[in-house]
Amino acid sequence: MIQFSSTPHLEFPLDSYLTKQEVKDRIKRVVFRGGSTETGRALKCILREGFPGGRNSSVPEVLIIISDGKSQGSTVMPAMQVKERHIRVFAVGIKFPRWEELHVLASEPTEQHMLFAGDADDAANGLYSTLTGSVCSATAPGCKVESHPCERRTLDTVKELAGNYVCWKGSKQPNAVQASLCPFYRWKRVLIKHPSRCLRTVCPAPKLSLECSVDLIFLVDSSAGVTLEGFLRYKAFLKRFLQAVMGQDSPMNVGVAQYDSDVRIPIEVSQHKDAFSLMKSIDALNFSGGGTLTGRALKYIAQHGFRSTPAFADVQDYLPRVVVLLTDSKSQDPVAEAGNYARDQDLFLIGVGSSFMRAELTQVTGNPKQTVVYSDPQDLFSKIPELQRRICSVDNPEGCQAQSLDLAFVVDASSEVGLENFLRLRDFVRSSCLHFNINRDVTQIALVSYGSKAHTVFALDTHTSNSAVLQAINQVPFLGDSGSAGSALLHIYGDVMTVQKGARPGVNKVVVVLTNGGSMEDAAAPAQQLRENGILVFVIVIGDAQRDTLLRVAGSPNYLVYVSSYEDLQYYHDLIIERICEEAKSPVNLCKPNPCMNQGVCILGPGSYRCECHGWEGPHCESRVLRGDSPRSPVLPSHSNVQWNPRGLQHFSRAPQHTKRRVDQTR
């Protein structure tokens, strides 16, 4: 981003930030500089400096100039030189731009590269249309770019004859004047309209259906905080949603509850089997207007909301139970504990509200991905497809649900982080675990906290269910001394990601380090050791920190995420989980990390491995070889082959034709 006025100023180069949120946060901090409009000088800066932080010439270069189009100097020559360098130039006019100048700046065809920012939505739509139509691959599936007649407008000042009025002119004769008629002009601001053609991206209306079988309750806020207008909007939203998704043979059962200081369930789950009668019941709902006790309402629904669900059919007992909370008013009672209680009753919670409700809704759902926010009242109706996807994700949860993964979280519990921020880190780990199916066959999770020393809160094989892991996370102690990330990573290598502690050969292994970036100087070497042994190190750093040091720890910018504040951490779940899941699908080296204990050597075979043991025996060299004829516990030969499948180890013996079991006589 370059800000220009009398002189151009580089705000930040292209390679400064790794996430969209970081760029947005930096843009918010840009300070207005003022001065004259020297567009030509800004273009010369681009010609001289290029694209700061850019890549090689194979990457397309796109320049977006945002201006009122009224430059103090000439732009013709520098604009031509910029375009000759194959830089794609978009000219965005503000309010009432000078269109002739924007024509000079913009690339051909100008109707695609000139945009009007009097209406921000139109400008963004036009930019999206052009970028996806030419610079990037294509428009979204099913969408097309259409041209339509439009009008570009600008304000200008014109000289207008107001009429001829009597005036006096001097006479050549002394002491005499001559009356005459003089023209009178006035300057007038006029709106000039330019007929043109504009572009828009047109996408077909989504075809929705709730193919997933669920018991669904809409919990609607009817308190004074949402007002009568807001409550009527929720009723309209419910009707439009159900019209879009509820067919004749819909597999879902729908109920509606409303709350203020009290909770009522006017429409029980499964009370209506057709959309028409359900709509009539929704029409009959009345606004009540009491206090906003969202926490109380959630607990009530967890206890009583699904009692009427018919249980005579076997399948009904096992339908997922979904609660969609619709609210636009801050709760007057605590919601976090109530949300935890409802989730412990196996309810899948989804929160829908305006953007200022995001934090509270995330407390309710326990997961930002189950929070649907809208920017303005009309935007609520555009969220129908997203809500449909969220409801049906209960049957197909997002995350690495089908992938085997050994995952360890390493949490900075040092005094530099502080207790309040440590609790936010803990909440992040808790929310992240909701994305995984935790058991011996799919995902195993370990948790390590560290100060000056590392502390294993629980190992990979300690807990075998989501509920057990979530409960254990709440017990993580805050250590509060100095921090050493290096000792924590050494601890992970030697005491967590090992077969003895439940690590599974043939399963991808990921370590996620949550830190404020301090005390990382000693972490680069152990992090490299983990990577060399097939263990990915993912670093999430909150706040400002030394980029070079952190890059050495993460090993690559792809595994380093900057978060501007602890409060913003909750919005990074999607990014982190997506990258972890990508790693869970990558090929695995069965011998990395070494599954053989006691200095055993791992030898790869086709789809399997074996441990060559010295003085030890068993599939992983876990049992000491006893001297002489002493009785031994039955174990597999030391040259057993071990084959991995997602459900555990399979052992099959191979007769040692060419080798003999070696016994270490010194032991």
Side-chain angles (χ1 to χ4, degrees):
M1 180 179 178
I2 295 173
Q3 181 182 173
F4 72 93
S5 50
S6 305
T7 56
H9 173 76
L10 176 66
E11 295 290 345
F12 55 88
L14 286 162
D15 58 354
S16 293
Y17 304 107
L18 297 174
T19 68
K20 193 182 299 184
Q21 191 59 44
E22 288 176 298
V23 174
K24 289 180 178 179
D25 292 341
R26 177 63 180 82
I27 290 171
K28 287 177 184 175
R29 299 199 301 271
V30 170
V31 178
F32 174 65
R33 291 177 173 271
S36 56
T37 310
E38 296 286 353
T39 312
R41 190 172 288 179
L43 292 174
K44 288 174 184 175
C45 174
I46 292 287
L47 289 167
R48 185 174 62 251
E49 306 290 341
F51 276 46
R55 289 166 285 185
N56 59 42
S57 58
S58 66
V59 179
E61 292 181 323
V62 178
L63 177 64
I64 303 170
I65 303 172
I66 305 173
S67 167
D68 61 3
K70 297 170 184 174
S71 180
Q72 267 69 58
S74 173
T75 60
V76 176
M77 187 57 69
M80 184 179 70
Q81 291 171 331
V82 165
K83 286 180 276 188
E84 282 175 352
R85 291 195 184 181
H86 304 291
I87 296 172
R88 181 74 63 88
V89 182
F90 291 88
V92 182
I94 300 295
K95 195 72 176 171
F96 297 109
R98 187 174 291 150
W99 292 103
E100 294 78 6
E101 184 173 311
L102 295 183
H103 267 282
V104 170
L105 296 173
S107 293
E108 297 287 341
T110 51
E111 66 270 12
Q112 289 187 19
H113 293 85
M114 282 175 53
L115 305 167
F116 177 42
D119 186 321
D121 289 339
D122 283 350
N125 187 26
L127 185 61
Y128 168 78
S129 302
T130 308
L131 288 173
T132 54
S134 54
V135 177
C136 302
S137 54
T139 54
C143 300
K144 58 183 179 180
V145 178
E146 288 184 351
S147 172
H148 64 98
C150 61
E151 210 172 52
R152 303 188 187 277
R153 300 168 297 162
T154 188
L155 276 177
D156 214 339
T157 306
V158 296
K159 189 176 180 181
E160 186 182 66
L161 178 64
N164 293 309
Y165 294 86
V166 174
C167 59
W168 287 268
K169 294 184 177 180
S171 171
K172 291 182 180 179
Q173 298 176 0
N175 302 321
V177 293
Q178 182 179 347
S180 179
L181 287 177
C182 300
F184 176 73
Y185 294 95
R186 63 185 172 197
W187 294 96
K188 183 180 179 183
R189 290 179 69 78
V190 295
L191 185 67
I192 300 173
K193 299 177 180 179
H194 303 265
S196 185
R197 294 200 68 78
C198 295
L199 299 171
R200 63 182 164 213
T201 305
V202 180
C203 299
K207 294 179 181 178
L208 300 175
S209 65
L210 272 184
E211 293 301 329
C212 49
S213 299
V214 294
D215 286 340
L216 173 64
I217 286 183
F218 286 96
L219 180 57
V220 183
D221 187 347
S222 177
S223 68
V226 299
T227 71
L228 173 60
E229 181 186 359
F231 180 73
L232 294 175
R233 187 181 306 118
Y234 285 148
K235 283 175 61 172
F237 174 78
L238 281 183
K239 290 168 65 178
R240 195 179 298 184
F241 177 84
L242 293 168
Q243 284 170 338
V245 304
M246 195 171 180
Q248 246 183 344
D249 302 316
S250 176
M252 67 174 176
N253 304 306
V254 180
V256 179
Q258 62 181 104
Y259 75 95
D260 42 63
S261 305
D262 296 313
V263 192
R264 296 165 298 288
I265 308 178
I267 305 173
E268 301 277 2
V269 174
S270 297
Q271 183 176 328
H272 299 287
K273 283 297 181 187
D274 64 280
F276 180 74
S277 59
L278 184 56
M279 300 296 169
K280 287 183 67 176
S281 296
I282 291 172
D283 276 332
L285 298 178
N286 292 314
F287 177 64
S288 49
T292 311
L293 298 183
T294 308
R296 181 169 185 259
L298 287 166
K299 286 185 177 178
Y300 183 90
I301 291 300
Q303 294 165 356
H304 308 288
F306 295 91
R307 283 188 174 179
S308 63
T309 306
F312 52 81
D314 290 343
V315 69
Q316 294 289 350
D317 285 337
Y318 299 99
L319 286 185
R321 295 174 167 183
V322 180
V323 177
V324 177
L325 171 66
L326 285 160
T327 180
D328 199 24
S329 178
K330 295 280 188 182
S331 180
Q332 294 164 344
D333 65 345
V335 296
E337 183 190 346
N340 288 338
Y341 175 79
R343 293 195 299 275
D344 287 342
Q345 311 307 308
D346 289 327
L347 299 189
F348 186 76
L349 303 181
I350 299 170
V352 180
S354 60
S355 50
F356 90 99
M357 290 291 296
R358 185 192 298 270
E360 184 171 301
L361 291 173
T362 302
Q363 280 188 309
V364 169
T365 63
N367 186 348
K369 294 198 81 167
Q370 289 159 226
T371 300
V372 179
V373 297
Y374 52 90
S375 54
D376 59 65
Q378 279 309 307
D379 185 41
L380 168 64
F381 296 92
S382 71
K383 300 297 180 181
I384 288 175
E386 183 180 350
L387 178 58
Q388 183 263 343
R389 289 194 301 274
R390 294 284 173 263
I391 291 171
C392 283
S393 71
V394 67
D395 268 346
N396 182 24
E398 295 168 352
C400 311
Q401 296 297 323
Q403 296 294 329
S404 297
L405 180 69
D406 284 345
L407 174 62
F409 286 96
V410 181
V411 180
D412 189 342
S414 67
S415 55
E416 278 191 55
V417 171
L419 176 59
E420 184 180 352
N421 292 330
F422 170 76
L423 295 176
R424 289 195 176 100
L425 295 180
R426 192 180 74 178
D427 289 343
F428 178 84
V429 174
R430 193 179 196 283
S431 299
S432 298
C433 290
L434 294 169
H435 292 266
F436 299 96
N437 183 7
I438 299 171
N439 60 54
R440 290 272 187 267
D441 298 333
V442 187
T443 301
Q444 292 189 146
I445 291 183
L447 178 58
V448 170
S449 63
Y450 74 90
S452 57
K453 294 181 179 178
H455 167 67
T456 300
V457 182
F458 51 85
L460 289 167
D461 60 354
T462 304
H463 300 298
T464 57
S465 69
N466 286 66
S467 57
V469 166
L470 296 177
Q471 196 170 357
I473 290 170
N474 290 334
Q475 311 306 317
V476 185
F478 174 61
L479 302 176
D481 55 357
S482 59
S484 170
S487 65
L489 292 180
L490 284 171
H491 180 77
I492 288 285
Y493 180 76
D495 205 49
V496 176
M497 287 294 184
T498 65
V499 171
Q500 299 98 308
K501 300 293 184 180
R504 297 165 295 175
V507 172
N508 279 294
K509 292 170 174 54
V510 178
V511 176
V512 178
V513 182
L514 290 156
T515 176
N516 70 344
S519 309
M520 297 294 285
E521 296 78 11
D522 62 346
Q528 182 60 29
Q529 188 178 14
L530 286 167
R531 278 192 296 277
E532 287 171 356
N533 283 274
I535 302 169
L536 171 70
V537 179
F538 209 110
V539 180
I540 304 170
V541 60
I542 299 93
D544 297 325
Q546 285 293 327
R547 181 181 175 85
D548 292 343
T549 303
L550 292 165
L551 263 177
R552 286 197 297 274
V553 178
S556 162
N558 294 332
Y559 305 122
L560 177 60
V561 174
Y562 284 93
V563 181
S564 55
S565 67
Y566 286 90
E567 291 82 358
D568 290 346
L569 188 59
Q570 59 184 321
Y571 306 126
Y572 284 77
H573 282 98
D574 293 0
L575 176 69
I576 307 302
I577 300 301
E578 182 181 333
R579 292 194 185 172
I580 290 174
C581 292
E582 284 173 8
E583 290 304 317
K585 296 172 186 173
S586 60
V588 182
N589 183 332
L590 294 173
C591 284
K592 284 192 174 184
N594 185 2
C596 308
M597 296 182 245
N598 302 305
Q599 285 79 52
V601 178
C602 180
I603 299 173
L604 277 173
S608 64
Y609 69 91
R610 64 186 175 87
C611 288
E612 189 171 280
C613 310
H614 306 284
W616 299 79
E617 60 187 354
H620 297 108
C621 309
E622 68 272 18
S623 301
R624 187 190 296 273
V625 173
L626 301 177
R627 287 200 187 101
D629 298 318
S630 302
R632 287 189 283 189
S633 56
V635 293
L636 291 172
S638 60
H639 288 79
S640 292
N641 272 28
V642 186
Q643 190 164 16
W644 177 254
N645 73 19
R647 299 196 175 275
L649 291 172
Q650 292 180 341
H651 310 286
F652 57 94
S653 299
R654 171 185 280 172
Q657 298 170 1
H658 307 293
T659 57
K660 295 181 180 178
R661 183 177 302 159
R662 294 174 59 187
V663 179
D664 189 344
Q665 299 298 334
T666 61
R667 301 197 180 191

